[in-house]
Amino acid sequence: MLSEQTIRIIKSTVPVLEVHGVAITKRFYDKLFTSHPELLHLFNHANQKQGRQQTALANAVYAAAKHIDRLEMILPAVKQIAHKHRSLGVKPEQYPIVGEHLLGAIKDVLGDAATDDILGAWAEAYGVIASAFIGIESDMYTNSALQPGGWSDFRPFVIARKDRESDVITSFYLTPQDQGLIAAFEAGQYVSVRVQIPGDAYTHIRQYSLSHTSGQPFYRISVKREDTNSAVPAGKVSVFLHNQVQEGDVLWLSAPAGDFTLDQTDTRPVTLLSGGVGLTPMVSMLHSLVTTQPNRKVTFIHAAQNGGHHALRKEIEQLAEEHPQVTLAWCYAQPTAADTREQSYHKEGYVDLPWIQSLVPSVDGSFYFCGPLPFMKAVNQSLITWGVPEADRHYEFFGPSGALS
């Protein structure tokens, strides 16, 4: 428990963190990687270069300070981050290192404004928060390792099959090299994939949603190749997986993780909305729904650039054909001439509220959505405008958590 004085001091720093939070986290990562370059094996370097990780950490620190007297308010975020930490292999002994450099970054950025009282209060608060993470993650490590087919750390998997699903998305079917059992997972969860790219000093770890159903003798991930554009460089790992990794090669996986999962106790209609590669957890959810809740009405809405970018379409359409409770709707931003000629989509342009309302008869249901940030913001705002309660809006960011407002 934190003292009243500590709570008061931490609360007083909230306005400062709102202004200087990103500067502090940028300085933190600089100090951390300078002193402990081995930790670069754990971090997504692209997110670092684009500033996404620094912003996500700044938001987390700000939320912790704002709710320091009611830490239960940030428990969902703590659990989400703990899932990520467990999948990456973060260890308890690394938390003191993080604390040391976070306090050092606060001091560097705020200068004399970072008094001994403020640094002392943050040291005490960090200790409490770190203990919470360590406890939650310890349970996750234990549960992951002890479940049937489970394991700790990373395990080698062989690429049994590699299928091109669209112009930009390829699926990888992964089986354990030791030919043993593999852990069950909940639809919507992901695995961390660790690769060593020839010529790179550090390993790279990426999270990819599992795009098939649990209970198979394989895991399937469906990866979008992130090509260079004017805003960002090409995705190092996704390009490596698409262009260099072949059937028979080995990838190292941590056990399934993540809290973006279906509420199986809910029997109301469910709407799955996806944009681009955001369909991967939705396909897994669709497989699960038709198997475990065959009487539950499902509306599956997917937005893609065009038919060439639309992955896993035949698989989804086959599921809908076999299960009449499933309704499908495709939205293409820029359909090709062939798409138009074949009438292979239901709407041109972007997903909007009137179209959602034409497909979903009522707000009385649950809504799951995933995709690029602009898509998620638009969908979330549409659902808010329609009156969908926050408890019925479920979403996941690919990469560091952001804000939808």
Side-chain angles (χ1 to χ4, degrees):
M1 296 292 292
L2 296 173
S3 68
E4 288 297 323
Q5 181 181 9
T6 294
I7 290 173
R8 178 180 55 78
I9 293 173
I10 295 295
K11 283 278 197 180
S12 74
T13 65
V14 169
V16 177
L17 292 173
E18 191 170 15
V19 176
H20 299 289
V22 173
I24 290 171
T25 55
K26 285 182 177 178
R27 179 60 180 152
F28 158 72
Y29 282 116
D30 287 343
K31 293 172 71 71
L32 180 69
F33 294 143
T34 298
S35 298
H36 294 274
E38 72 277 5
L39 293 179
L40 284 164
H41 289 290
L42 293 177
F43 285 85
N44 184 320
H45 301 179
N47 287 336
Q48 288 288 322
K49 290 179 181 178
Q50 295 169 30
R52 297 177 65 194
Q53 191 66 57
Q54 295 90 331
T55 300
L57 178 58
N59 290 339
V61 172
Y62 175 80
K66 186 176 180 179
H67 300 291
I68 196 68
D69 54 341
R70 295 176 298 152
L71 287 176
E72 67 275 7
M73 294 288 292
I74 65 169
L75 189 59
V78 169
K79 288 184 176 178
Q80 184 181 66
I81 296 169
H83 272 284
K84 185 69 68 73
H85 285 178
R86 200 280 296 159
S87 77
L88 291 171
V90 172
K91 305 302 182 187
E93 58 268 25
Q94 292 167 336
Y95 276 93
I97 297 170
V98 170
E100 174 192 347
H101 293 292
L102 181 60
L103 292 173
I106 292 173
K107 180 63 176 176
D108 288 352
V109 172
L110 299 186
D112 292 340
T115 64
D116 289 344
D117 284 346
I118 287 176
L119 293 175
W122 266 106
E124 184 183 347
Y126 177 82
V128 168
I129 295 170
S131 293
F133 271 109
I134 290 170
I136 292 171
E137 289 163 17
S138 176
D139 290 342
M140 288 181 174
Y141 278 111
T142 299
N143 293 337
S144 173
L146 295 182
Q147 66 180 311
W151 69 95
S152 60
D153 202 41
F154 285 79
R155 181 181 178 186
F157 278 71
V158 177
I159 300 173
R161 183 171 143 199
K162 180 179 178 181
D163 286 351
R164 186 173 182 265
E165 306 285 7
S166 76
D167 292 348
V168 293
I169 294 175
T170 293
S171 287
F172 299 82
Y173 290 76
L174 307 166
T175 57
Q177 190 177 52
D178 60 18
Q179 300 182 358
L181 296 174
I182 56 175
F185 63 90
E186 294 186 68
Q189 290 191 305
Y190 56 81
V191 290
S192 284
V193 177
R194 187 178 71 194
V195 299
Q196 178 70 63
I197 299 176
D200 280 16
Y202 300 101
T203 56
H204 299 269
I205 303 176
R206 296 292 187 272
Q207 285 78 40
Y208 295 112
S209 294
L210 292 156
S211 62
H212 210 286
T213 188
S214 186
Q216 306 297 320
F218 57 82
Y219 291 142
R220 185 180 74 179
I221 58 174
S222 301
V223 180
K224 179 188 176 187
R225 186 186 66 246
E226 299 291 350
D227 296 318
T228 302
N229 61 45
S230 58
V232 296
K236 180 169 287 189
V237 175
S238 68
V239 170
F240 174 72
L241 291 176
H242 273 251
N243 296 349
Q244 294 180 249
V245 171
Q246 303 300 330
E247 293 179 358
D249 290 343
V250 172
L251 298 176
W252 290 79
L253 272 62
S254 63
D259 62 351
F260 179 59
T261 56
L262 283 168
D263 179 1
Q264 299 278 6
T265 66
D266 190 352
T267 59
R268 298 173 302 160
V270 58
T271 302
L272 308 176
L273 299 108
S274 57
V277 74
L279 95 166
T280 51
M282 302 306 176
V283 174
S284 182
M285 289 182 180
L286 181 61
H287 275 284
S288 178
L289 283 162
V290 299
T291 302
T292 63
Q293 295 182 294
N295 296 318
R296 190 175 182 186
K297 181 173 175 55
V298 182
T299 304
F300 192 107
I301 301 171
H302 179 61
Q305 188 74 8
N306 52 51
H309 284 231
H310 190 166
L312 300 167
R313 174 171 176 159
K314 290 183 179 179
E315 179 177 318
I316 298 167
E317 290 179 338
Q318 182 176 346
L319 285 174
E321 184 177 338
E322 295 170 353
H323 302 277
Q325 76 276 22
V326 177
T327 300
L328 306 179
W330 312 135
C331 179
Y332 289 174
Q334 295 179 320
T336 64
D339 293 332
T340 302
R341 184 173 60 252
E342 296 167 9
Q343 297 183 323
S344 58
Y345 58 96
H346 304 92
K347 183 182 189 298
E348 180 175 352
Y350 300 96
V351 174
D352 56 26
L353 179 55
W355 192 53
I356 295 174
Q357 291 173 319
S358 73
L359 299 166
V360 183
S362 170
V363 296
D364 185 21
S366 55
F367 296 79
Y368 294 79
F369 55 99
C370 186
L373 186 56
F375 169 85
M376 292 176 62
K377 286 183 174 181
V379 168
N380 191 55
Q381 187 55 56
S382 292
L383 298 180
I384 291 172
T385 300
W386 195 12
V388 177
E390 182 178 4
D392 290 333
R393 289 181 276 119
H394 312 275
Y395 55 87
E396 175 158 81
F397 293 95
F398 280 177
S401 295
L404 293 186
S405 57

